[in-house]
Amino acid sequence: MADYDLAIIGGGLNGVSLARDASGRGLRVILVEQGDLGGAASSATPRLVHGDLSVLERRGFWRVRRALAERRIWLRIAPHLVRPMRFVIPAHADERPPWLLRASLFVYDSLTHRGGLPATTTLDITHHPVGNALKRPFGTAFEYSDCIVDDSRLVVLTALDAAERGAVIRTGARCVRADRTDVWRLAVVDRGHRRVITARALANATGGWTSMVAETVLRQPQLPVAATQMSQIIVPRLFESDNVYVFQNDDGRLIFAIPFERDFTLIGTTTRAFTGDPAIVAVSGADVSYLCEAASRYFRESIAPTDVVRAVSGVNVTPASARRGDGTTLFHARRRKAPLITMFGGDVTTSRLRAERAVSRLTPFYPMSPRWTAGAALPGGDFAWDRFDIEVDLARDRWRFLSEPQAQRLVAAYGSRLSAVLGEAKTRDELGPVFGPELTGAEVRYLMIHEWARFPEDVLWRRSKLGLTMSQADRDALAAFMANLNDPPRTG
């Protein structure tokens, strides 16, 4: 008998979504990830949960409708991570004419039941607060509803839900060989120790490494995929409103400017063909300049490459023959051979649905429970999306030492499970040492015990974005604190 029903290689959003779905259906699941959860492209997305206006322009009506249905599901199951926002797109005749934008957004609204989100409106931004940050020539804009998401925390909480349903999640574990008979036999180097795992089915969800893993680890034919690099930049906050700005660039692309971690703005996204090792992907100077120039075309405040405080980039893969943005799942099963799922590409919005459909392909091989993920909240997400501010107030009532920004960050990260982090603390001093203005020893300890954080980068850039504001001295203190927890002193 095999150790597991399903082994998954890769701890990005595709991999953890597979683990969550399969474990919730009663399968014995193990996921191995060579680095950290969401350590590559899954933490470098545009952070949008949306139907995608650019897809609508290409007449992808069914794809947009499906994505908007998923947007509604995400609001229901992850209200702390997925937040509704009003998106503002200035209209001008240089690019898409205003009548075309208005018609597109009418169709966009009609493709979904908004579930409480307001419909599109027309704004005169010369007399509206959203226009304060923009140059005067842009007098008319359209405001519509969509959502943003904390992409890296979505990965971690999806993995946490999978683990609580029985999945084994192993980070720092690299699959170096997989042999296929009636079961899969995996050789895994797990934090320096070699072990063998057997599974009745295998999923390759390694993102930018999909083709390489297929060829060198699974010894399957090389997959004909095309790699695409996605890049964003983070700059000091450019506007006071809570809107997301959508700008039409002169090459037809849509550029987003998104409020980010209170004091910053995220600008993206550029895409370009990529060759090389996804582990060492870096944002090019040309992409930084492109995004700065695109944003400067609209904002009163000019943005230069020297204003960029961080650039983020990741590699996604699509079939070489057809660049499908909604992801690809390949299923290979032959008589007397264990099944193989290869899942790559796609966006955040439809990740849950892709995993649900992929796991369903295994139903002929062993019985499992019905589909379930659309109705089950992620950890901490058991409240209505329009009660987020109430959850913040409740947190401040219980832990009176929290400022409003601190409570907002913590509720956005942990939702209704915040008590598991802060416990019964009455003062901030009870939470242990403090690293920077917000991070406490109690939170770090929680992340290491429950959310697979091993190194400071895991805490500062994926479990949070506190690395944007933390001093080097605090980083060094955090590293020492985590090293001590990883290697506690021996007694006796």
Side-chain angles (χ1 to χ4, degrees):
M1 181 179 178
D3 300 324
Y4 298 95
D5 296 315
L6 176 63
I8 302 164
I9 308 173
L13 186 55
N14 282 337
V16 298
S17 298
L18 287 169
R20 177 181 185 240
D21 189 289
S23 58
R25 296 205 208 186
L27 303 188
R28 298 168 301 150
V29 176
I30 184 169
L31 180 148
V32 295
E33 160 58 45
Q34 65 179 349
D36 184 30
L37 297 173
S42 293
S43 294
T45 76
R47 295 172 66 94
L48 300 174
V49 170
H50 65 153
D52 198 339
L53 283 175
S54 61
V55 173
L56 187 63
E57 288 184 330
R58 299 193 295 271
R59 300 185 180 181
F61 300 110
W62 172 245
R63 183 176 156 194
V64 170
R65 184 179 182 87
R66 181 176 58 207
L68 290 173
E70 288 298 301
R71 184 188 73 180
R72 189 166 64 252
I73 290 172
W74 282 121
L75 274 173
R76 184 170 65 246
I77 69 174
H80 47 329
L81 305 179
V82 179
R83 304 299 310 283
M85 303 282 282
R86 293 292 277 171
F87 285 53
V88 175
I89 179 168
H92 53 91
D94 293 346
E95 308 301 337
R96 300 160 181 83
W99 69 263
L100 178 60
L101 283 176
R102 185 182 293 107
S104 297
L105 289 168
F106 174 80
V107 174
Y108 197 72
D109 280 347
S110 68
L111 287 174
T112 183
H113 299 292
R114 291 185 297 277
L117 300 184
T120 298
T121 58
T122 302
L123 303 178
D124 177 2
I125 56 176
T126 60
H127 299 91
H128 194 284
V130 299
N132 292 342
L134 302 179
K135 293 178 178 177
R136 282 299 179 193
F138 308 109
T140 299
F142 299 104
E143 185 182 54
Y144 66 98
S145 294
D146 251 326
C147 298
I148 62 172
V149 62
D150 188 331
D151 50 5
S152 52
R153 283 213 57 78
L154 181 63
V155 173
V156 173
L157 292 190
T158 301
L160 179 60
D161 197 26
E164 292 180 349
R165 297 175 189 275
V168 176
I169 309 293
R170 300 295 300 175
T171 60
R174 182 179 182 184
C175 180
V176 295
R177 183 182 176 95
D179 296 306
R180 186 184 195 184
T181 57
D182 58 332
V183 298
W184 284 96
R185 185 179 178 88
L186 283 65
V188 176
V189 178
D190 188 348
R191 305 192 189 190
H193 301 284
R194 188 181 181 93
R195 58 183 298 206
V196 174
I197 298 168
T198 57
R200 297 173 64 188
L202 177 66
N204 176 5
T206 52
W209 292 266
T210 299
S211 184
M212 183 192 74
V213 168
E215 184 179 13
T216 63
V217 177
L218 310 183
R219 295 183 307 287
Q220 302 286 318
Q222 187 175 29
L223 294 170
V225 299
T228 302
Q229 178 180 346
M230 309 171 296
S231 301
Q232 292 88 226
I233 58 174
I234 300 170
V235 300
R237 186 157 183 166
L238 296 170
F239 49 90
E240 293 301 319
S241 73
D242 290 330
N243 297 84
V244 174
Y245 289 91
V246 187
F247 297 143
Q248 306 174 75
N249 208 18
D250 52 12
D251 57 4
R253 294 182 184 179
L254 295 178
I255 302 299
F256 295 85
I258 303 171
F260 191 75
E261 301 298 315
R262 291 200 306 266
D263 298 323
F264 301 92
T265 299
L266 178 74
I267 302 173
T269 301
T270 64
T271 58
R272 62 172 62 240
F274 177 82
T275 57
D277 185 353
I280 54 175
V281 62
V283 182
S284 69
D287 284 342
V288 171
S289 296
Y290 173 91
L291 291 171
C292 289
E293 291 169 6
S296 296
R297 184 183 179 193
Y298 287 84
F299 285 120
R300 287 177 180 271
E301 183 177 346
S302 180
I303 303 105
T306 53
D307 297 318
V308 176
V309 296
R310 184 173 173 84
V312 293
S313 194
V315 175
N316 207 351
V317 292
T318 56
S321 58
R323 296 188 171 234
R324 293 175 55 188
D326 53 348
T328 298
T329 300
L330 306 176
F331 187 81
H332 186 260
R334 294 184 301 182
R335 186 178 180 184
R336 297 179 182 175
K337 293 288 186 180
L340 171 64
I341 296 171
T342 305
M343 186 172 173
F344 57 93
D347 57 10
V348 173
T349 308
T350 56
S351 57
R352 184 209 65 83
L353 181 61
R354 290 196 305 275
E356 181 181 78
R357 291 177 171 176
V359 173
S360 295
R361 298 289 296 273
L362 295 173
T363 52
F365 297 90
Y366 30 73
M368 63 180 73
S369 302
R371 303 179 182 193
W372 64 279
T373 54
L378 288 178
D382 51 348
F383 60 91
W385 64 264
D386 55 358
R387 285 183 54 87
F388 181 86
D389 291 337
I390 295 174
E391 291 292 318
V392 171
D393 292 339
L394 291 173
R396 294 194 70 196
D397 286 342
R398 180 170 178 181
W399 296 284
R400 295 186 176 275
F401 53 86
L402 293 177
S403 67
E404 185 167 356
Q406 289 169 344
Q408 288 174 340
R409 181 187 75 82
L410 290 168
V411 171
Y414 305 103
S416 61
R417 292 197 176 188
L418 184 52
S419 59
V421 180
L422 302 183
E424 299 301 323
K426 302 298 183 185
T427 67
R428 193 171 178 80
D429 291 341
E430 295 178 36
L431 298 177
V434 177
F435 311 100
E438 295 197 40
L439 187 63
T440 64
E443 185 174 0
V444 175
R445 191 177 293 109
Y446 173 87
L447 293 172
M448 295 181 70
I449 294 172
H450 298 284
E451 294 193 5
W452 300 278
R454 293 186 294 151
F455 305 109
E457 292 78 9
D458 303 340
V459 173
L460 296 178
W461 296 113
R462 286 179 286 278
R463 308 311 184 277
S464 75
K465 295 296 184 288
L466 294 175
L468 287 168
T469 55
M470 186 172 288
S471 69
Q472 188 58 53
D474 283 318
R475 292 170 192 258
D476 294 341
L478 173 62
F481 179 79
M482 294 182 70
N484 187 58
L485 290 180
N486 275 320
D487 187 20
R490 295 193 177 108
T491 58

